[in-house]
């Protein structure tokens, strides 16, 4: 039964489907409406997931190409791979922290003024694993690790969305959803700085483009052209034998172009999924906010913001990539070299572009992307000594979620007060 429950709570599509069903039932909708709303919510989120998978699978070869092309080795920030790798030794702790952390989140949303319910399942899972790791390395295990980890997860699940909400309202122009992503603080902070240095009257979505290149206003076309240039350009600097191995015998220029275009297809699938599941989930969630947790808001994953400013998403990602590249070379002077974590740079950089555009227009989107890309990777390089992963047989990876890193630092500092050294 525990395995079944944790399986449900670590599967975002099921979580959101159940939430939608409960909300529709609370609203006393017909059986037909409940079935349609539940399944369309699940379908939409699965589309989002599959879009994300397409993006990830097309970015993996790029990371390999970049590492070889510029002769850099180090770590890549990627939470989910770490969370999966420690399950053989910390699986029970991870599962129970996830379950009890979610329960604490719901209770706190009920009794406090912060009415956010964190619904990003894969991030709940990775955060729970991070808590299991940090307490394990502090020598705190068993029920104590589960208790402290659950409290940390439950509290974080309402605090970080609450901190982000004033900025979420500027992006969405409403107050119906929250930000359920463990990089939210860096996204909105980058957007806020971009807003201070930009002009929100000049939006990325209303740029005047000459008719001859009007096609560049289409997000997918612009991103497709840019990604082809990035992938193909990088492939030219990769050792021929390594590039042949990465391309698995395919024609190298065609391989690079297809990976770039596949990346864009993943974006399009992801955006369509976001539109579908939000269209069903937000109205259904009213049932929960009215009946179970009055005033509750669903805190959802980062891609929900892309559709509010698709062009800003592209700009944010591109400049986050530039900022990340700069941080990579700066990190050669720090405890560890952080290779461009293209997946994190895309998901968070795209959102930073949207937030920066909402508060500072085109210039805000550019500045926000640069700041996020540089800061995201620099935080990983500076914080790297705090947690070692070699004892779990993990190398070449480190944590990517800046909010989780902040929580880990706080936990370790509290630990020093009780005689547990950093």
């Amino acid at each position: 039964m525990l395995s079944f429950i944790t399986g449900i709570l670590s599967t975002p599509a099921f979580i959101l489907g159940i939430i939608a069903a409960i909300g529709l039932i609370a609203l006393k909708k017909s059986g037909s409406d409940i079935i349609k709303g539940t399944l369309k919510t699940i379908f939409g989120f699965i589309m989002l997931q599959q879009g994300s998978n397409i993006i990830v699978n097309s970015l993996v070869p790029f990371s390999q190409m970049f590492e070889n092309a510029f002769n850099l080795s180090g770590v890549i920030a990627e939470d989910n791979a770490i969370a999966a790798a420690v399950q053989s030794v910390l699986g029970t702790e991870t599962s129970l922290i996830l379950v009890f952390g979610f329960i604490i989140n719901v209770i706190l949303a009920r009794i406090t003024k912060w009415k956010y319910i964190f619904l990003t399942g894969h991030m709940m899972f990775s955060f729970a694993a991070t808590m299991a790791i940090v307490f394990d390395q502090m020598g705190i295990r068993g029920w104590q690790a589960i208790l402290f980890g659950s409290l940390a997860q439950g509290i974080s699940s309402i605090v970080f969305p609450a901190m982000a909400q004033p900025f979420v309202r500027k992006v969405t122009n409403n107050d119906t959803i929250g930000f359920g992503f463990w990089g939210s603080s860096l996204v909105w902070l980058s957007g806020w700085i971009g807003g201070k240095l930009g002009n929100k009257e000049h939006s990325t979505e209303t740029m005047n483009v000459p008719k001859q290149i009007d096609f560049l206003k289409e997000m997918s076309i612009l991103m497709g052209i840019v990604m082809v240039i990035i992938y193909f350009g990088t492939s030219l600097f990769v050792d021929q034998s390594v590039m042949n191995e990465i391309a698995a015998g395919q024609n190298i220029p065609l391989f690079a172009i297809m990976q770039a275009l596949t990346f864009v297809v993943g974006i399009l699938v992801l955006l369509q999924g976001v539109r579908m599941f939000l269209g069903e989930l937000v109205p259904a969630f009213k049932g929960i906010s009215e009946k179970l947790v009055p005033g509750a808001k669903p805190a959802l994953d980062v891609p929900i913001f892309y559709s509010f400013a698709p062009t800003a998403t592209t700009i944010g990602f591109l400049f986050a990539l530039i900022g990340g590249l700069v941080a990579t070379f700066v990190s050669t002077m720090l405890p560890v070299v952080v290779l461009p974590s293209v997946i994190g740079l895309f998901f968070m950089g795209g959102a930073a572009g949207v937030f920066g555009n909402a508060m500072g227009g085109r210039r805000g989107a550019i500045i926000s992307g640069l700041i996020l890309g540089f800061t995201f990777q620099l935080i990983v390089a500076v914080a790297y000594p705090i947690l070692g992963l070699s004892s779990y047989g993990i190398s070449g990876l480190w944590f990517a979620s800046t909010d989780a890193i902040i929580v880990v630092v706080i936990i370790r500092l509290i630990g020093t007060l009780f005689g547990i050294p950093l």
Side-chain angles (χ1 to χ4, degrees):
M1 178 60 71
L2 176 61
S3 176
F4 176 77
I5 293 173
T6 55
I8 291 293
L9 289 178
S10 60
T11 305
F14 288 155
I15 294 175
L16 296 176
I18 292 170
I19 295 297
I22 293 173
L24 292 168
I25 291 170
L27 290 173
K28 298 181 179 180
K29 295 291 186 178
S30 67
S32 176
D33 287 341
I34 293 171
I35 293 172
K36 287 191 297 183
T38 300
L39 289 178
K40 287 178 74 174
T41 299
I42 293 173
F43 293 155
F45 202 86
I46 290 175
M47 287 178 67
L48 180 149
Q49 287 182 306
Q50 292 306 309
S52 297
N53 290 338
I54 293 171
I55 293 167
V56 169
N57 291 335
S58 65
L59 287 176
V60 169
F62 177 76
S63 295
Q64 297 170 335
M65 290 158 55
F66 184 90
E67 182 173 345
N68 179 268
F70 301 103
N71 195 30
L72 288 173
S73 60
V75 299
I76 294 176
E78 217 301 298
D79 287 325
N80 291 316
I82 295 172
V86 300
Q87 291 314 292
S88 59
V89 289
L90 296 173
T92 300
E93 290 85 351
T94 299
S95 298
L96 291 175
I97 289 172
L98 188 154
V99 171
F100 291 118
F102 182 74
I103 292 172
I104 291 170
N105 176 196
V106 173
I107 293 172
L108 291 174
R110 171 75 185 187
I111 65 176
T112 70
K113 65 178 181 179
W114 292 334
K115 305 297 183 181
Y116 304 97
I117 298 180
F118 199 103
L119 295 177
T120 308
H122 69 95
M123 300 225 79
M124 294 161 63
F125 175 68
S126 66
F127 191 96
T130 303
M131 292 301 101
I133 291 170
V134 67
F135 286 113
D136 181 64
Q137 296 204 345
M138 292 171 68
I140 300 173
R141 300 181 177 92
W143 70 267
Q144 290 178 313
I146 294 167
L147 172 62
F148 295 141
S150 300
L151 286 170
Q153 179 143 356
I155 293 169
S156 298
S157 295
I158 63 168
V159 169
F160 283 101
M163 292 168 61
Q165 198 61 20
F167 306 95
V168 169
R169 285 194 290 266
K170 293 180 183 295
V171 171
T172 63
N173 292 317
N174 60 59
D175 202 27
T176 59
I177 57 174
F179 200 170
F181 178 77
W182 297 123
S184 61
S185 59
L186 186 56
V187 170
W188 65 254
L189 181 59
S190 300
W192 178 78
I193 295 172
K196 292 296 181 182
L197 300 175
N199 183 350
K200 67 178 181 180
E201 300 301 320
H202 300 147
S203 172
T204 58
E205 311 309 302
T206 58
M207 289 191 295
N208 291 320
V209 179
K211 192 169 184 180
Q212 294 85 346
I213 56 172
D214 187 67
F215 59 88
L216 293 178
K217 292 180 66 176
E218 178 68 36
M219 181 271 288
S220 60
I221 304 301
L222 174 61
M223 181 171 283
I225 292 172
V226 171
M227 294 309 295
V228 166
I229 293 172
I230 290 174
Y231 273 67
F232 182 73
T234 302
S235 72
L236 297 177
F237 295 92
V238 180
D239 181 84
Q240 188 68 28
S241 61
V242 173
M243 195 63 228
N244 284 331
E245 184 179 345
I246 294 173
Q250 299 178 54
N251 179 275
I252 291 174
L254 289 179
F255 171 80
I257 292 169
M258 281 302 298
Q259 290 298 312
L261 296 180
T262 300
F263 173 90
V264 179
V265 170
I267 300 297
L268 297 177
V269 173
L270 181 149
L271 290 175
Q272 182 59 37
V274 169
R275 294 186 187 101
M276 179 180 286
F277 91 81
L278 276 184
E280 300 297 329
L281 180 66
V282 172
F285 200 83
K286 289 175 62 179
I288 294 180
S289 64
E290 292 172 2
K291 305 291 183 180
L292 303 179
V293 184
K297 298 180 181 68
L300 303 172
D301 204 356
V302 63
I304 62 172
F305 299 109
Y306 300 162
S307 59
F308 289 98
T311 303
T313 300
T314 305
I315 292 173
F317 163 56
L318 293 176
F319 282 92
L321 184 59
I322 294 171
L325 292 172
V326 174
T328 290
F329 291 104
V330 171
S331 69
T332 59
M333 299 177 285
L334 295 173
V336 66
V337 176
V338 182
L339 300 177
S341 304
V342 185
I343 296 169
L345 290 170
F346 167 71
F347 285 107
M348 289 200 289
V354 174
F355 277 66
N357 177 64
M359 290 178 271
R362 296 191 290 270
R363 197 186 322 146
I366 291 170
I367 294 171
S368 298
L370 282 170
I371 291 173
L372 185 134
F374 182 79
T375 308
F376 164 56
Q377 302 221 154
L378 208 60
I379 287 173
V380 173
V382 172
Y384 179 77
I386 293 175
L387 285 179
L389 298 174
S390 59
S391 60
Y392 307 107
I394 299 172
S395 61
L397 294 173
W398 212 71
F399 301 93
S401 301
T402 50
D403 293 353
I405 293 172
I406 291 170
V407 174
V408 168
V409 170
I410 292 172
I411 290 171
R412 295 303 295 264
L413 289 175
I414 293 174
T416 61
L417 299 177
F418 294 91
I420 302 174
L422 282 172

